[in-house]
Amino acid sequence: MRRFSAQYVPVTVYVTVLDEEVVQLDFKLTREEKSPAPKGPPATQDPSAQEFQNLIKELSSERGLERLVLSSADDSNFYRYRPYKELSEFLRGLTLNFPHITKLRSLGQSVEFRTIWALEISNKPKEPEPAEPKIRFVGGIHGNAPVGTELLLEFAAFLCINYGKNSAITKLINETKIVIVPSSNPDGREKAQERQCTSTAGLVNAHGKDLDTDFFGNTSQHFVDPQPETKALMDFILERGDTLSVALDGGSVLATYPYNKPVQPVENEETLKYLAIVYANNHPTMHQGHPGCANNQGGTRM
């Protein structure tokens, strides 16, 4: 009798375990059909333009980001909304597990003294690197729109887990500074009612202010009594001078530019318009011009 040793594709799964909690983790191994590739870290390989195009195409497909992050995440955590405490521990867990490419900092505190976190992902997170483009992702401006927050948390984990394994992701992190602010209204998030899609609970902050509107009212450097969450984010914006910022909200399937309303003239407006059009045209349904959801219970907005 001849015996053959099976080859399987390695899998890395990241999971957060809270104090006094037991987590059951299920995962599936895929049999490797081909001979093992020569040894050597993918990080040293320069990905082709086609690899980047394939990554962008996958991200732009229907539920593309969801499929990508589920390939390396615990799907039992993906389909639920994490409260503030779990969100904070999740971010700390990323920095503990990937200290060489992450940096976690506090931008300030909310009305009810919850920390507004910003996670930087870069090959040199503790160095300024002014020549590199800086991309900022923000979620949770409205606490009752949690999908953007969860996507950003899993996107951060996906980037970290695949650094040094996926050549396109590795090059992206090596050549770009990515900052993720997953929850800019943590007080509203705590008040939001799960499974109540039409509820406005958690929309505003603890002072009853819509941070979206508050942000528009403080778009100059002369703030007019901004909410603490607004001031924390705007101080961060003025400090960094990011190349591009993307905010994920809920309510409609559309891409808006800039700031969702004509507050004031904006630099590079044509570039922002171009990016919004490219995003919409690559989205499975956004380019069809029907921003509302079929069940009228909200959707996603960038």
Side-chain angles (χ1 to χ4, degrees):
M1 178 184 294
R2 296 182 62 186
R3 295 190 177 187
F4 298 89
S5 59
Q7 297 286 336
Y8 293 90
V9 178
V11 174
T12 301
V13 179
Y14 178 80
V15 61
T16 300
V17 181
L18 303 179
D19 293 339
E20 300 180 0
E21 181 183 27
V22 177
V23 175
Q24 178 177 328
L25 181 63
D26 297 322
F27 61 92
K28 182 185 294 184
L29 292 177
T30 303
R31 188 182 296 274
E32 194 174 57
E33 300 292 342
K34 300 179 181 179
S35 300
K39 293 183 178 180
T44 62
Q45 301 173 1
D46 188 23
S48 66
Q50 187 60 46
E51 285 184 86
F52 277 108
Q53 290 298 324
N54 291 340
L55 177 64
I56 297 302
K57 184 177 181 180
E58 178 66 20
L59 285 170
S60 302
S61 65
E62 187 171 6
R63 302 181 71 180
L65 178 58
E66 179 182 340
R67 287 198 301 271
L68 281 175
V69 297
L70 281 177
S71 67
S72 53
D74 176 16
D75 58 0
S76 65
N77 282 331
F78 189 77
Y79 292 108
R80 67 188 183 89
Y81 301 132
R82 281 163 280 210
Y84 168 77
K85 182 180 178 182
E86 284 189 44
L87 180 150
S88 300
E89 291 175 344
F90 183 86
L91 293 173
R92 292 192 191 99
L94 287 180
T95 59
L96 288 173
N97 283 276
F98 306 97
H100 300 300
I101 60 169
T102 60
K103 177 184 177 183
L104 184 63
R105 62 174 286 188
S106 166
L107 303 185
Q109 291 187 317
S110 64
V111 174
E112 295 181 341
F113 304 105
R114 293 184 176 91
T115 300
I116 300 170
W117 296 111
L119 178 71
E120 179 175 320
I121 302 175
S122 167
N123 66 325
K124 298 178 181 177
K126 297 177 175 61
E127 299 180 21
E129 296 187 286
E132 288 193 353
K134 304 176 183 66
I135 311 298
R136 182 179 67 251
F137 293 89
V138 180
I141 296 174
H142 295 130
N144 65 340
V147 174
T149 295
E150 296 301 326
L151 282 174
L152 290 180
L153 290 173
E154 294 298 340
F155 184 50
F158 171 77
L159 292 176
C160 291
I161 291 170
N162 285 281
Y163 182 74
K165 300 175 182 178
N166 180 297
S167 56
I169 294 297
T170 301
K171 184 171 184 178
L172 178 68
I173 293 175
N174 285 344
E175 299 182 1
T176 312
K177 281 193 172 294
I178 300 170
V179 172
I180 293 175
V181 183
S183 181
S184 51
N185 182 9
D187 296 347
R189 184 176 174 84
E190 291 300 290
K191 292 178 174 61
Q193 300 174 357
E194 192 168 346
R195 301 183 184 278
Q196 300 295 322
C197 298
T198 59
S199 172
T200 59
L203 173 72
V204 297
N205 74 347
H207 281 163
K209 298 292 185 179
D210 187 330
L211 298 182
D212 202 15
T213 304
D214 193 58
F215 186 89
F216 296 143
N218 291 278
T219 51
S220 71
Q221 294 190 23
H222 303 288
F223 297 161
V224 182
D225 192 26
Q227 295 299 301
E229 299 91 344
T230 300
K231 188 174 187 307
L233 192 56
M234 296 198 79
D235 285 344
F236 186 56
I237 292 172
L238 294 174
E239 170 195 323
R240 284 178 54 85
D242 292 319
T243 309
L244 182 68
S245 176
V246 179
L248 287 88
D249 200 358
S252 297
V253 183
L254 52 86
T256 61
Y257 64 90
Y259 300 136
N260 194 27
K261 59 182 69 176
V263 179
Q264 62 184 36
V266 178
E267 292 184 28
N268 304 316
E269 182 172 352
E270 288 304 313
T271 300
L272 297 174
K273 180 179 179 180
Y274 168 77
L275 291 172
I277 292 172
V278 170
Y279 182 90
N281 287 340
N282 282 278
H283 188 276
T285 60
M286 189 179 293
H287 63 280
Q288 297 173 357
H290 304 293
C293 295
N295 60 3
N296 293 319
Q297 290 188 341
T300 58
R301 180 177 69 190
M302 184 191 79

